[in-house]
Amino acid sequence: EAGAGVGKTEMVKQLVRDGKKIIMVMPFTSTIKAKVENDKDWYYSYGNRKPRLDVSAGLSMTVDKFSHINLMDVKKVHEIVGCR
């Protein structure tokens, strides 16, 4: 397991910039806010914002949002699903 500050999220963000469609599941809304909320390549979902699987690149959501989506739909649209 890699510790904080070694570039795990930046590596995933680079994959999205390279054209991969990725869902990144994060445990805390504060982490999503800090890492991807202001990134134009990412759509984020937490709180009242519903997840959208038709986004063009990266999708970041909290664990509770991820638990409510149909995994077969995810498999059709996204190449990689990663949990941190």
Side-chain angles (χ1 to χ4, degrees):
E1 185 171 316
V6 296
K8 298 177 299 288
T9 304
E10 289 304 314
M11 179 191 71
V12 172
K13 289 170 71 175
Q14 183 59 50
L15 290 171
V16 169
R17 286 190 289 272
D18 292 342
K20 300 288 185 192
K21 291 179 125 186
I22 296 177
I23 295 178
M24 186 164 45
V25 181
M26 297 180 158
F28 306 111
T29 58
S30 59
T31 308
I32 293 173
K33 287 178 181 181
K35 303 285 185 174
V36 299
E37 189 174 61
N38 294 322
D39 193 320
K40 65 177 178 55
D41 294 326
W42 286 84
Y43 178 84
Y44 60 91
S45 175
Y46 60 82
N48 292 331
R49 193 167 186 188
K50 295 184 180 183
R52 290 182 43 208
L53 298 179
D54 62 343
V55 296
S56 61
L59 170 60
S60 182
M61 64 179 68
T62 53
V63 177
D64 62 318
K65 296 290 184 185
F66 184 71
S67 69
H68 293 298
I69 60 176
N70 183 333
L71 292 182
M72 295 308 286
D73 293 338
V74 169
K75 206 171 167 184
K76 292 177 194 172
V77 178
H78 285 62
E79 300 169 67
I80 302 169
V81 177
C83 299
R84 290 194 18 150

